């Protein structure tokens, strides 16, 4: 049990533990969710001699897999970047983390629904499927919002050298994610569901290029230019 | 091999190891069980154009998933809170831990049975399904009872600063869990199975708010008030 | 990279690493295999109102699950007990470890075959199923034999305080396992397949009570009596 | 956060972390992918009394499993051997690692397609299946190529005692892998698909015997001869 040297320790030594086990547990969940996504890619049913076309015809399943693999992969990167800046866990933060994991393990469900449905090319069903995916995607971002909100209101839980603005910037990123998944859902139900699928593949790229935090990017960019 | 400095060490250095590997292994089991629960959410069979209703109709599957996800999540938190208070493992405690893992990996089975059955709305089947879930839920709590019983009778295995009452309080919590899952099972089979489902979702909340131990909560509360 | 202080180090510092990552990787495989066993327990097909009987009728699936869960659990305990006595890994030992993992991940396959078949009560099929299970079970023990053989012929890879007889005793245990799974297979195919199932549930108990090694048990017993 | 003592540290302490969490996460993905391969071995459908023949008839499923298990196992060994030579991670290397994991989790898909198809003995379908497997196998090697290319152009990320030639030699191995999977795919589609299957089982052996790097093998060989 890691006890800090400030005046809070004897109250906190029971309720607060280091972050290591939470990271390891979350890593396992991310890893399993990622692998499970691929398990849902099944050999397609086909007429004898027609496997090649059957494989090509299920391209929406590959695109859905890719969108979700990238999403979970990038969530893992964010988790990693965030936890290097956290010094202490408490029960509230463990619950906020469990919220993130809840939507992470759920990702394979809308992915499978979307993969199944987009192959059948029924417009009403396709719209329902992309709306479901957008909903889970937005709730995933919202769970990060809760996590960062909890952290920003408890600055003593962060590492000392992390600027206050860092977690505020992270909240902005999470809000942008919620908004973009909602936009994708609306576009997908109002217009072409395949547009939503394209956005779902593209969105993790936004999170990927900003995976060290919006602030850090700008800062790192400045330093690179200064060199 | 971590050898203690008291007189027991040369006898015990073969039979006792640190707790790290047991925690890591248990974490992996909890993480996989959690992810597997979501894998059992399948795209519903439906008429073309009727996906949305089919998705909404399987709400008992979502409620069952949520009950089990929370249960496993809270078991993980309890495991974490407990292991920070354990100094040593021996073979008996590893077996008691394996007992907890047995019921953890089994949770997806009654969850899937309940999810399937509650959608079909056959009363006899629904009662059988909630009874099965209550049985596994109660046995999970009972396996914690065994674990804590083993620990309380071997105080030298706990960290030195853990008050004796801690593990006794934990046993009380486990007894309460056994009792409540039995009550839910009886209510679900004698009255409405959906009542049992509601209790199954609510029960992990009881464990969650007491995840640091009943004693610690009171103690922490006193100290908070004193400040 | 952990470099030993003896004369071999500059040759060996590339080829030998510490055992930590191998243990963590193996733990993950054991944990996933254990969880996957339970995933193969599916809600039984049944007539409306007949779920309870359908659940009871698939008792061979529960017994098969229990046999395999205990087997994998005990293999994990043996792995743990063995690795605390290993100081170094080399490529050969990593391959021998991969051999153990090969049969570990395969265990769910004969378990599912046996669970399916014993419910159908066709004698020829039941015999084939228990023979398959006995084969995989025996090969699992044989892979431990290879592992211990590799270790006993390279005493410098073990921790210094491990008596030479330890790994020899472990080889004896592995031989006993090979023999007993073969006996169970022969009894199951020549006589009643359910006898084989009973042995499969009982066999891990043999490994469990000797999980610290036959030698250590005797040694610990002597010391306990002497006290 | 592990900060190096050279002049780059204050720029790099945000963007670069130690390699531990990346290794642990990758290990979990390798472990789950490995176990999932075996989950796809299902009890064969059969006439009552005909289980034994049905089990024997699905030998292509066993061979496909073995090819993929060995491939993933050897990828894990390579990952291990490579990461002991890496001192630092940055975002680019984490993405390159995610690329390796992408093809790792995908391996069960072509394995299942190949296992299903080779049993049906339709020549056109079998050719499509081995071509798909060869494609994914080659892309896996290509993702290692990207990883090593990234590393060789950033020598400060490697451990100091790793000769420059090491990562160049690794790139050569990856190129050989890409080429051999392509050759297997061409042979399998132009000639007999079972030839491709045989190559798929044999190829990981090439990677296994060179798992410490081509360079290291030669070097170790020289030293062994010199002794």
């Amino acid at each position: 049990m890691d006890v800090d040297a400030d005046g809070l320790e004897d109250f906190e030594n029971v309720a607060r533990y280091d972050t290591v086990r939470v990271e390891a547990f979350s890593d396992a969940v991310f890893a399993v969710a990622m692998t499970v996504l691929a398990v849902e890619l099944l050999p397609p049913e086909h007429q004898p001699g027609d496997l090649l076309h059957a494989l090509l015809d299920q391209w929406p399943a590959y695109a859905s897999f890719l969108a979700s693999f990238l999403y979970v992969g990038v969530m893992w990167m964010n988790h990693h970047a965030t936890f290097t800046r956290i010094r202490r866990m408490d029960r509230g933060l463990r619950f906020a983390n469990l919220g993130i994991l809840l939507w992470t393990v759920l990702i394979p469900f809308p992915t499978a629904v979307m993969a199944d449905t987009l192959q059948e090319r029924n417009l009403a069903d396709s719209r329902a499927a992309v709306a479901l995916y957008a909903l889970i995607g937005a709730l995933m971002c919202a769970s990060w919002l809760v996590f960062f909100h909890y952290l920003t209101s408890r600055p003593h839980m962060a590492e000392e050298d992390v600027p206050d603005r860092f977690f505020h910037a992270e909240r902005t990123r999470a809000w942008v994610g919620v908004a973009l998944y909602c936009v994708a859902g609306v576009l997908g139900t109002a217009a072409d569901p395949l547009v939503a699928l394209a956005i779902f593949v593209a969105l993790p790229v936004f999170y990927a290029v900003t995976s060290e935090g919006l602030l850090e990017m700008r800062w790192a960019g400045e330093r690179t230019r200064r060199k």
Side-chain angles (χ1 to χ4, degrees), chain A residues 71-192:
Chain A
Y71 199 10
V72 175
V74 162
M75 289 298 105
W76 174 75
M77 289 213 188
N78 280 359
H79 201 265
H80 185 52
T82 302
F83 269 73
T84 55
R85 291 170 173 87
I86 297 177
R87 190 160 55 125
R88 296 176 177 172
M89 296 298 288
D90 65 5
R91 192 190 311 184
L93 203 58
R94 278 199 294 276
F95 270 102
N97 189 62
L98 203 58
I100 293 171
L101 299 184
L102 171 64
W103 303 111
T104 303
V105 304
L106 273 176
I107 285 284
F109 172 57
T111 307
V113 170
M114 194 162 70
D116 275 19
T117 311
L118 293 183
Q119 281 174 255
E120 290 162 11
R121 293 161 201 251
N122 178 295
L123 189 59
D125 288 349
S126 296
R127 286 174 169 170
V130 297
L132 175 69
Y133 192 96
L135 178 70
I136 303 287
L139 286 168
M140 166 84 102
C141 290
S143 69
W144 280 96
L145 210 52
V146 172
F147 188 89
F148 287 123
H149 178 77
Y150 191 89
L151 262 182
T152 43
S153 57
R154 285 159 188 80
H156 62 283
M157 295 180 70
E159 292 288 346
E160 282 176 23
D161 59 348
V162 179
D164 290 353
R165 299 165 304 165
F166 175 76
F167 292 114
H168 285 285
E170 286 292 332
R171 287 168 72 182
T172 307
R173 285 178 71 221
W175 271 117
V176 173
V178 172
L180 290 180
Y181 273 101
C182 288
V183 167
V186 169
L187 283 179
T189 49
D192 191 340

